[in-house]
PDB file of all heavy atoms in Angstrom:
ATOM      1  N   GLY A  84      89.485  96.861  52.419  1.00 97.00           N
ATOM      2  CA  GLY A  84      90.224  97.618  53.431  1.00 97.00           C
ATOM      3  C   GLY A  84      89.413  97.766  54.677  1.00 97.00           C
ATOM      4  O   GLY A  84      89.965  98.200  55.701  1.00 97.00           O
ATOM      5  N   SER A  85      88.153  97.397  54.610  1.00 98.00           N
ATOM      6  CA  SER A  85      87.319  97.399  55.857  1.00 98.00           C
ATOM      7  C   SER A  85      87.572  96.210  56.638  1.00 98.00           C
ATOM      8  O   SER A  85      88.269  95.234  56.264  1.00 98.00           O
ATOM      9  CB  SER A  85      85.813  97.529  55.457  1.00 98.00           C
ATOM     10  OG  SER A  85      85.509  98.704  54.789  1.00 98.00           O
ATOM     11  N   LEU A  86      86.985  96.144  57.838  1.00 98.00           N
ATOM     12  CA  LEU A  86      87.112  94.956  58.745  1.00 98.00           C
ATOM     13  C   LEU A  86      85.714  94.550  59.068  1.00 98.00           C
ATOM     14  O   LEU A  86      84.907  95.431  59.452  1.00 98.00           O
ATOM     15  CB  LEU A  86      87.951  95.160  59.955  1.00 98.00           C
ATOM     16  CG  LEU A  86      89.481  95.583  59.583  1.00 98.00           C
ATOM     17  CD1 LEU A  86      89.627  97.058  59.816  1.00 98.00           C
ATOM     18  CD2 LEU A  86      90.359  94.746  60.436  1.00 98.00           C
ATOM     19  N   ALA A  87      85.433  93.255  59.172  1.00 98.00           N
ATOM     20  CA  ALA A  87      84.208  92.733  59.683  1.00 98.00           C
ATOM     21  C   ALA A  87      84.460  92.381  61.230  1.00 98.00           C
ATOM     22  O   ALA A  87      85.454  91.646  61.452  1.00 98.00           O
ATOM     23  CB  ALA A  87      83.689  91.569  58.872  1.00 98.00           C
ATOM     24  N   ILE A  88      83.550  92.736  62.044  1.00 98.00           N
ATOM     25  CA  ILE A  88      83.756  92.469  63.437  1.00 98.00           C
ATOM     26  C   ILE A  88      82.456  91.738  63.987  1.00 98.00           C
ATOM     27  O   ILE A  88      81.295  92.156  63.758  1.00 98.00           O
ATOM     28  CB  ILE A  88      83.874  93.773  64.269  1.00 98.00           C
ATOM     29  CG1 ILE A  88      85.010  94.615  63.700  1.00 98.00           C
ATOM     30  CG2 ILE A  88      84.116  93.510  65.754  1.00 98.00           C
ATOM     31  CD1 ILE A  88      84.986  96.122  64.195  1.00 98.00           C
ATOM     32  N   GLY A  89      82.647  90.622  64.652  1.00 98.00           N
ATOM     33  CA  GLY A  89      81.502  89.885  65.271  1.00 98.00           C
ATOM     34  C   GLY A  89      81.727  89.989  66.771  1.00 98.00           C
ATOM     35  O   GLY A  89      82.895  89.639  67.295  1.00 98.00           O
ATOM     36  N   VAL A  90      80.744  90.382  67.483  1.00 98.00           N
ATOM     37  CA  VAL A  90      80.766  90.298  68.990  1.00 98.00           C
ATOM     38  C   VAL A  90      79.722  89.298  69.413  1.00 98.00           C
ATOM     39  O   VAL A  90      78.481  89.391  69.292  1.00 98.00           O
ATOM     40  CB  VAL A  90      80.420  91.742  69.600  1.00 98.00           C
ATOM     41  CG1 VAL A  90      80.492  91.672  71.164  1.00 98.00           C
ATOM     42  CG2 VAL A  90      81.348  92.775  69.009  1.00 98.00           C
ATOM     43  N   LEU A  91      80.204  88.099  69.918  1.00 98.00           N
ATOM     44  CA  LEU A  91      79.371  86.995  70.336  1.00 98.00           C
ATOM     45  C   LEU A  91      79.064  87.119  71.799  1.00 98.00           C
ATOM     46  O   LEU A  91      79.979  87.285  72.597  1.00 98.00           O
ATOM     47  CB  LEU A  91      80.058  85.691  69.979  1.00 98.00           C
ATOM     48  CG  LEU A  91      79.299  84.488  70.439  1.00 98.00           C
ATOM     49  CD1 LEU A  91      78.030  84.266  69.695  1.00 98.00           C
ATOM     50  CD2 LEU A  91      80.259  83.231  70.302  1.00 98.00           C
ATOM     51  N   ASN A  92      77.775  86.923  72.142  1.00 98.00           N
ATOM     52  CA  ASN A  92      77.413  86.906  73.528  1.00 98.00           C
ATOM     53  C   ASN A  92      76.914  85.496  73.907  1.00 98.00           C
ATOM     54  O   ASN A  92      75.823  85.103  73.426  1.00 98.00           O
ATOM     55  CB  ASN A  92      76.247  87.932  73.794  1.00 98.00           C
ATOM     56  CG  ASN A  92      75.739  87.885  75.224  1.00 98.00           C
ATOM     57  OD1 ASN A  92      76.451  87.339  76.125  1.00 98.00           O
ATOM     58  ND2 ASN A  92      74.664  88.469  75.427  1.00 98.00           N
ATOM     59  N   LYS A  93      77.716  84.722  74.598  1.00 97.00           N
ATOM     60  CA  LYS A  93      77.308  83.417  75.001  1.00 97.00           C
ATOM     61  C   LYS A  93      76.335  83.390  76.158  1.00 97.00           C
ATOM     62  O   LYS A  93      75.605  82.350  76.447  1.00 97.00           O
ATOM     63  CB  LYS A  93      78.577  82.576  75.428  1.00 97.00           C
ATOM     64  CG  LYS A  93      79.497  82.245  74.335  1.00 97.00           C
ATOM     65  CD  LYS A  93      80.695  81.408  74.905  1.00 97.00           C
ATOM     66  CE  LYS A  93      81.633  81.000  73.816  1.00 97.00           C
ATOM     67  NZ  LYS A  93      82.722  80.188  74.404  1.00 97.00           N
ATOM     68  N   ASN A  94      76.299  84.492  76.899  1.00 95.00           N
ATOM     69  CA  ASN A  94      75.421  84.533  78.106  1.00 95.00           C
ATOM     70  C   ASN A  94      73.989  84.395  77.768  1.00 95.00           C
ATOM     71  O   ASN A  94      73.453  84.884  76.807  1.00 95.00           O
ATOM     72  CB  ASN A  94      75.620  85.902  78.759  1.00 95.00           C
ATOM     73  CG  ASN A  94      75.110  86.022  80.164  1.00 95.00           C
ATOM     74  OD1 ASN A  94      73.914  85.631  80.327  1.00 95.00           O
ATOM     75  ND2 ASN A  94      75.917  86.358  81.117  1.00 95.00           N
ATOM     76  N   ASN A  95      73.345  83.493  78.516  1.00 94.00           N
ATOM     77  CA  ASN A  95      71.852  83.201  78.210  1.00 94.00           C
ATOM     78  C   ASN A  95      70.911  83.845  79.174  1.00 94.00           C
ATOM     79  O   ASN A  95      69.687  83.549  79.298  1.00 94.00           O
ATOM     80  CB  ASN A  95      71.588  81.720  78.112  1.00 94.00           C
ATOM     81  CG  ASN A  95      71.940  81.009  79.411  1.00 94.00           C
ATOM     82  OD1 ASN A  95      72.233  81.626  80.427  1.00 94.00           O
ATOM     83  ND2 ASN A  95      72.028  79.601  79.403  1.00 94.00           N
ATOM     84  N   GLU A  96      71.418  84.845  79.996  1.00 93.00           N
ATOM     85  CA  GLU A  96      70.462  85.536  80.862  1.00 93.00           C
ATOM     86  C   GLU A  96      69.692  86.472  80.013  1.00 93.00           C
ATOM     87  O   GLU A  96      70.096  87.027  79.010  1.00 93.00           O
ATOM     88  CB  GLU A  96      71.243  86.179  81.990  1.00 93.00           C
ATOM     89  CG  GLU A  96      71.984  85.228  82.880  1.00 93.00           C
ATOM     90  CD  GLU A  96      72.712  85.897  83.951  1.00 93.00           C
ATOM     91  OE1 GLU A  96      72.655  87.163  84.092  1.00 93.00           O
ATOM     92  OE2 GLU A  96      73.363  85.189  84.785  1.00 93.00           O
ATOM     93  N   GLY A  97      68.462  86.796  80.483  1.00 92.00           N
ATOM     94  CA  GLY A  97      67.461  87.413  79.679  1.00 92.00           C
ATOM     95  C   GLY A  97      67.539  88.974  79.490  1.00 92.00           C
ATOM     96  O   GLY A  97      66.545  89.637  79.527  1.00 92.00           O
ATOM     97  N   THR A  98      68.799  89.465  79.158  1.00 94.00           N
ATOM     98  CA  THR A  98      68.904  90.852  78.860  1.00 94.00           C
ATOM     99  C   THR A  98      70.160  91.038  77.954  1.00 94.00           C
ATOM    100  O   THR A  98      71.138  90.299  78.099  1.00 94.00           O
ATOM    101  CB  THR A  98      69.056  91.710  80.095  1.00 94.00           C
ATOM    102  OG1 THR A  98      69.061  93.140  79.759  1.00 94.00           O
ATOM    103  CG2 THR A  98      70.329  91.446  80.873  1.00 94.00           C
ATOM    104  N   PRO A  99      70.150  92.027  77.022  1.00 96.00           N
ATOM    105  CA  PRO A  99      71.344  92.235  76.174  1.00 96.00           C
ATOM    106  C   PRO A  99      72.472  92.757  77.049  1.00 96.00           C
ATOM    107  O   PRO A  99      72.324  93.399  78.069  1.00 96.00           O
ATOM    108  CB  PRO A  99      70.759  93.320  75.140  1.00 96.00           C
ATOM    109  CG  PRO A  99      69.318  93.246  75.164  1.00 96.00           C
ATOM    110  CD  PRO A  99      68.963  92.745  76.550  1.00 96.00           C
ATOM    111  N   VAL A 100      73.693  92.343  76.614  1.00 95.00           N
ATOM    112  CA  VAL A 100      74.848  92.670  77.322  1.00 95.00           C
ATOM    113  C   VAL A 100      75.552  93.921  76.684  1.00 95.00           C
ATOM    114  O   VAL A 100      75.796  93.858  75.479  1.00 95.00           O
ATOM    115  CB  VAL A 100      75.895  91.524  77.393  1.00 95.00           C
ATOM    116  CG1 VAL A 100      77.240  91.892  77.913  1.00 95.00           C
ATOM    117  CG2 VAL A 100      75.235  90.369  78.207  1.00 95.00           C
ATOM    118  N   PRO A 101      75.803  94.944  77.422  1.00 96.00           N
ATOM    119  CA  PRO A 101      76.537  96.112  76.782  1.00 96.00           C
ATOM    120  C   PRO A 101      78.058  95.847  76.625  1.00 96.00           C
ATOM    121  O   PRO A 101      78.603  95.226  77.561  1.00 96.00           O
ATOM    122  CB  PRO A 101      76.277  97.151  77.802  1.00 96.00           C
ATOM    123  CG  PRO A 101      76.054  96.509  79.161  1.00 96.00           C
ATOM    124  CD  PRO A 101      75.386  95.228  78.896  1.00 96.00           C
ATOM    125  N   PHE A 102      78.523  96.098  75.441  1.00 96.00           N
ATOM    126  CA  PHE A 102      79.933  95.974  75.227  1.00 96.00           C
ATOM    127  C   PHE A 102      80.508  97.294  74.827  1.00 96.00           C
ATOM    128  O   PHE A 102      80.164  97.920  73.870  1.00 96.00           O
ATOM    129  CB  PHE A 102      80.158  94.906  74.023  1.00 96.00           C
ATOM    130  CG  PHE A 102      81.604  94.800  73.640  1.00 96.00           C
ATOM    131  CD1 PHE A 102      82.540  94.345  74.571  1.00 96.00           C
ATOM    132  CD2 PHE A 102      81.996  95.170  72.373  1.00 96.00           C
ATOM    133  CE1 PHE A 102      83.904  94.238  74.129  1.00 96.00           C
ATOM    134  CE2 PHE A 102      83.336  95.073  71.959  1.00 96.00           C
ATOM    135  CZ  PHE A 102      84.276  94.605  72.826  1.00 96.00           C
ATOM    136  N   LYS A 103      81.365  97.865  75.719  1.00 96.00           N
ATOM    137  CA  LYS A 103      81.973  99.139  75.520  1.00 96.00           C
ATOM    138  C   LYS A 103      83.414  98.927  75.111  1.00 96.00           C
ATOM    139  O   LYS A 103      84.210  98.247  75.803  1.00 96.00           O
ATOM    140  CB  LYS A 103      81.882  99.849  76.832  1.00 96.00           C
ATOM    141  CG  LYS A 103      82.350 101.359  76.699  1.00 96.00           C
ATOM    142  CD  LYS A 103      82.068 102.076  78.010  1.00 96.00           C
ATOM    143  CE  LYS A 103      82.529 103.574  77.889  1.00 96.00           C
ATOM    144  NZ  LYS A 103      82.305 104.360  79.128  1.00 96.00           N
ATOM    145  N   THR A 104      83.904  99.652  74.089  1.00 97.00           N
ATOM    146  CA  THR A 104      85.222  99.537  73.600  1.00 97.00           C
ATOM    147  C   THR A 104      85.591 100.745  72.750  1.00 97.00           C
ATOM    148  O   THR A 104      84.726 101.664  72.580  1.00 97.00           O
ATOM    149  CB  THR A 104      85.400  98.229  72.833  1.00 97.00           C
ATOM    150  OG1 THR A 104      86.755  98.013  72.555  1.00 97.00           O
ATOM    151  CG2 THR A 104      84.672  98.224  71.539  1.00 97.00           C
ATOM    152  N   SER A 105      86.790 100.710  72.146  1.00 97.00           N
ATOM    153  CA  SER A 105      87.258 101.686  71.197  1.00 97.00           C
ATOM    154  C   SER A 105      88.021 100.898  70.150  1.00 97.00           C
ATOM    155  O   SER A 105      88.467  99.819  70.357  1.00 97.00           O
ATOM    156  CB  SER A 105      88.078 102.815  71.828  1.00 97.00           C
ATOM    157  OG  SER A 105      89.318 102.338  72.205  1.00 97.00           O
ATOM    158  N   PHE A 106      88.206 101.510  69.034  1.00 97.00           N
ATOM    159  CA  PHE A 106      88.984 100.928  68.032  1.00 97.00           C
ATOM    160  C   PHE A 106      90.427 100.741  68.446  1.00 97.00           C
ATOM    161  O   PHE A 106      91.110  99.672  68.072  1.00 97.00           O
ATOM    162  CB  PHE A 106      88.886 101.681  66.699  1.00 97.00           C
ATOM    163  CG  PHE A 106      87.627 101.675  66.037  1.00 97.00           C
ATOM    164  CD1 PHE A 106      86.793 102.806  65.906  1.00 97.00           C
ATOM    165  CD2 PHE A 106      87.058 100.483  65.556  1.00 97.00           C
ATOM    166  CE1 PHE A 106      85.635 102.784  65.358  1.00 97.00           C
ATOM    167  CE2 PHE A 106      85.850 100.408  64.946  1.00 97.00           C
ATOM    168  CZ  PHE A 106      85.044 101.529  64.839  1.00 97.00           C
ATOM    169  N   ALA A 107      90.921 101.674  69.216  1.00 97.00           N
ATOM    170  CA  ALA A 107      92.343 101.452  69.751  1.00 97.00           C
ATOM    171  C   ALA A 107      92.343 100.269  70.686  1.00 97.00           C
ATOM    172  O   ALA A 107      93.324  99.466  70.637  1.00 97.00           O
ATOM    173  CB  ALA A 107      92.775 102.737  70.502  1.00 97.00           C
ATOM    174  N   ASP A 108      91.328 100.072  71.508  1.00 96.00           N
ATOM    175  CA  ASP A 108      91.315  98.924  72.397  1.00 96.00           C
ATOM    176  C   ASP A 108      91.216  97.696  71.586  1.00 96.00           C
ATOM    177  O   ASP A 108      91.709  96.554  72.062  1.00 96.00           O
ATOM    178  CB  ASP A 108      90.067  98.927  73.278  1.00 96.00           C
ATOM    179  CG  ASP A 108      90.129 100.063  74.329  1.00 96.00           C
ATOM    180  OD1 ASP A 108      91.238 100.565  74.647  1.00 96.00           O
ATOM    181  OD2 ASP A 108      89.060 100.475  74.795  1.00 96.00           O
ATOM    182  N   LEU A 109      90.653  97.679  70.381  1.00 95.00           N
ATOM    183  CA  LEU A 109      90.584  96.448  69.578  1.00 95.00           C
ATOM    184  C   LEU A 109      91.858  96.196  68.730  1.00 95.00           C
ATOM    185  O   LEU A 109      91.897  95.254  68.019  1.00 95.00           O
ATOM    186  CB  LEU A 109      89.364  96.512  68.614  1.00 95.00           C
ATOM    187  CG  LEU A 109      87.987  96.562  69.280  1.00 95.00           C
ATOM    188  CD1 LEU A 109      86.828  96.814  68.314  1.00 95.00           C
ATOM    189  CD2 LEU A 109      87.768  95.298  70.157  1.00 95.00           C
ATOM    190  N   GLY A 110      92.800  97.181  68.826  1.00 95.00           N
ATOM    191  CA  GLY A 110      94.000  96.975  68.119  1.00 95.00           C
ATOM    192  C   GLY A 110      94.009  97.600  66.671  1.00 95.00           C
ATOM    193  O   GLY A 110      94.947  97.311  65.882  1.00 95.00           O
ATOM    194  N   PHE A 111      92.963  98.359  66.428  1.00 97.00           N
ATOM    195  CA  PHE A 111      92.961  98.997  65.057  1.00 97.00           C
ATOM    196  C   PHE A 111      93.880 100.209  65.063  1.00 97.00           C
ATOM    197  O   PHE A 111      94.132 100.829  66.123  1.00 97.00           O
ATOM    198  CB  PHE A 111      91.538  99.477  64.715  1.00 97.00           C
ATOM    199  CG  PHE A 111      90.584  98.250  64.525  1.00 97.00           C
ATOM    200  CD1 PHE A 111      90.948  96.937  64.879  1.00 97.00           C
ATOM    201  CD2 PHE A 111      89.299  98.482  64.023  1.00 97.00           C
ATOM    202  CE1 PHE A 111      90.024  95.900  64.655  1.00 97.00           C
ATOM    203  CE2 PHE A 111      88.383  97.422  63.774  1.00 97.00           C
ATOM    204  CZ  PHE A 111      88.760  96.110  64.147  1.00 97.00           C
ATOM    205  N   SER A 112      94.231 100.634  63.933  1.00 95.00           N
ATOM    206  CA  SER A 112      95.348 101.752  63.893  1.00 95.00           C
ATOM    207  C   SER A 112      95.029 102.892  62.960  1.00 95.00           C
ATOM    208  O   SER A 112      95.896 103.866  62.983  1.00 95.00           O
ATOM    209  CB  SER A 112      96.583 101.051  63.433  1.00 95.00           C
ATOM    210  OG  SER A 112      96.476 100.451  62.153  1.00 95.00           O
ATOM    211  N   ASN A 113      93.956 102.922  62.200  1.00 97.00           N
ATOM    212  CA  ASN A 113      93.712 104.068  61.331  1.00 97.00           C
ATOM    213  C   ASN A 113      93.564 105.348  62.166  1.00 97.00           C
ATOM    214  O   ASN A 113      92.627 105.461  62.963  1.00 97.00           O
ATOM    215  CB  ASN A 113      92.508 103.846  60.439  1.00 97.00           C
ATOM    216  CG  ASN A 113      92.316 104.932  59.483  1.00 97.00           C
ATOM    217  OD1 ASN A 113      93.139 105.315  58.718  1.00 97.00           O
ATOM    218  ND2 ASN A 113      91.140 105.495  59.458  1.00 97.00           N
ATOM    219  N   LYS A 114      94.428 106.333  61.928  1.00 96.00           N
ATOM    220  CA  LYS A 114      94.430 107.465  62.832  1.00 96.00           C
ATOM    221  C   LYS A 114      93.222 108.333  62.809  1.00 96.00           C
ATOM    222  O   LYS A 114      92.880 109.042  63.672  1.00 96.00           O
ATOM    223  CB  LYS A 114      95.693 108.344  62.563  1.00 96.00           C
ATOM    224  CG  LYS A 114      95.648 108.918  61.170  1.00 96.00           C
ATOM    225  CD  LYS A 114      97.029 109.664  60.964  1.00 96.00           C
ATOM    226  CE  LYS A 114      97.087 110.364  59.558  1.00 96.00           C
ATOM    227  NZ  LYS A 114      98.283 111.084  59.325  1.00 96.00           N
ATOM    228  N   ASN A 115      92.446 108.250  61.636  1.00 97.00           N
ATOM    229  CA  ASN A 115      91.231 109.029  61.443  1.00 97.00           C
ATOM    230  C   ASN A 115      90.007 108.355  61.942  1.00 97.00           C
ATOM    231  O   ASN A 115      88.856 108.919  61.969  1.00 97.00           O
ATOM    232  CB  ASN A 115      91.054 109.376  59.959  1.00 97.00           C
ATOM    233  CG  ASN A 115      92.158 110.319  59.420  1.00 97.00           C
ATOM    234  OD1 ASN A 115      92.646 111.238  60.188  1.00 97.00           O
ATOM    235  ND2 ASN A 115      92.646 110.014  58.188  1.00 97.00           N
ATOM    236  N   GLY A 116      90.164 107.162  62.472  1.00 98.00           N
ATOM    237  CA  GLY A 116      88.980 106.360  63.028  1.00 98.00           C
ATOM    238  C   GLY A 116      88.241 105.649  61.898  1.00 98.00           C
ATOM    239  O   GLY A 116      88.696 105.428  60.838  1.00 98.00           O
ATOM    240  N   TYR A 117      87.031 105.220  62.298  1.00 98.00           N
ATOM    241  CA  TYR A 117      86.266 104.344  61.408  1.00 98.00           C
ATOM    242  C   TYR A 117      84.771 104.665  61.421  1.00 98.00           C
ATOM    243  O   TYR A 117      84.334 105.161  62.444  1.00 98.00           O
ATOM    244  CB  TYR A 117      86.444 102.849  61.857  1.00 98.00           C
ATOM    245  CG  TYR A 117      87.883 102.326  61.770  1.00 98.00           C
ATOM    246  CD1 TYR A 117      88.793 102.609  62.857  1.00 98.00           C
ATOM    247  CD2 TYR A 117      88.271 101.627  60.726  1.00 98.00           C
ATOM    248  CE1 TYR A 117      90.148 102.184  62.768  1.00 98.00           C
ATOM    249  CE2 TYR A 117      89.657 101.137  60.588  1.00 98.00           C
ATOM    250  CZ  TYR A 117      90.486 101.434  61.678  1.00 98.00           C
ATOM    251  OH  TYR A 117      91.818 100.951  61.580  1.00 98.00           O
ATOM    252  N   SER A 118      84.083 104.242  60.417  1.00 98.00           N
ATOM    253  CA  SER A 118      82.703 104.314  60.358  1.00 98.00           C
ATOM    254  C   SER A 118      82.055 102.927  60.568  1.00 98.00           C
ATOM    255  O   SER A 118      82.507 101.922  59.909  1.00 98.00           O
ATOM    256  CB  SER A 118      82.207 104.882  59.006  1.00 98.00           C
ATOM    257  OG  SER A 118      80.827 104.818  58.848  1.00 98.00           O
TER     258      SER A 118
END
């Protein structure tokens, strides 16, 4: 019932890329949220 999520960064510039989102933005629907 869990989901595996991969966030791939193709960018090769020398610093980590911040990725800001929410589960709603990703299309998830469990009303109590996720761990």
Side-chain angles (χ1 to χ4, degrees):
S85 297
L86 299 107
I88 307 167
V90 183
L91 175 67
N92 178 17
K93 292 183 179 180
N94 194 304
N95 60 10
E96 296 180 4
T98 185
V100 171
F102 174 62
K103 185 176 183 179
T104 190
S105 71
F106 290 115
D108 290 339
L109 296 175
F111 293 11
S112 59
N113 183 54
K114 62 181 181 180
N115 294 323
Y117 297 82
S118 174

